[in-house]
Amino acid sequence: MMQGVVYTALADMVIEQLGLPVWEQILDAAALPSQGAYTAGARYDDSELLQLVTLLSQHTGIAAPDLVRSFGSYLFSQLYATLPPELQSCQNLREFLLKIDSTIHKEVKRVYPDSYLPSFKYDDSNPGELIMYYQSRRKMCFAAEGLIQGAARQFNTDIQLSHPVCMHQGADCCTLIVHFPEPK
């Protein structure tokens, strides 16, 4: 089950970028158990998100991974606005990304104790990059890429992001490498 805020953000993005008639058309085609009546505090079956992304991909001609990346980037601003002030006070992107597992996900678990969250492990030994090892049974690594891009935008940091190892290719976890710009 996935938090409703993810579904309400998807609806907002589709309506903003493609219009309400497209969102309604996608919902009609999906014939979902929830009927697309999403609220931020409720939880919905993961399969609904996959079905919506598949239908959006078919409608727009945009590959599903690209749609999910765009959605992750869009979702970041909505999630960031709900973070406690101490998490919004991070000084830079690297500091923020390193707090995802230990602080942000811990806070989400406090508020939603039965939520399922991905996990991250880090290699931050190189100042020019941050290697993030992403693990999740949902395999939403493309959303994680988008969320990282959204965070980079929030912190006004120009990054290069690579994803050389992926669970969709049979790996146990994804490797996401955030390349930071050279200090000036």
Side-chain angles (χ1 to χ4, degrees), residues 69-96:
R69 273 186 208 95
S70 294
F71 173 60
S73 182
Y74 181 90
L75 178 62
F76 180 82
S77 61
Q78 295 200 0
L79 295 177
Y80 186 78
T82 66
L83 291 176
E86 65 271 14
L87 291 175
Q88 291 185 6
S89 67
C90 288
Q91 299 299 305
N92 59 59
L93 176 62
R94 184 185 202 93
E95 177 188 354
F96 181 82

Side-chain angles (χ1 to χ4, degrees), residues 11-12 27 41-42 45 47 54 59 69-70 72 96 104 108 115 118 121 134-135 152-154 157 161 165 172 184:
D12 291 346
L27 289 178
D45 194 275
S47 65
T54 299
H59 179 84
R69 273 186 208 95
S70 294
F96 181 82
I104 297 170
V108 171
S115 61
K121 291 189 169 103
Y134 167 91
Q135 173 65 44
R153 195 170 45 255
Q154 175 69 38
T157 304
L161 182 61
V165 178
D172 291 336
K184 295 178 182 175

Side-chain angles (χ1 to χ4, degrees), residues 5-27:
V5 67
V6 172
Y7 292 88
T8 59
L10 180 64
D12 291 346
M13 184 183 91
V14 172
I15 292 166
E16 279 178 30
Q17 296 179 6
L18 302 173
L20 181 59
V22 170
W23 179 243
E24 290 174 342
Q25 180 183 351
I26 297 297
L27 289 178

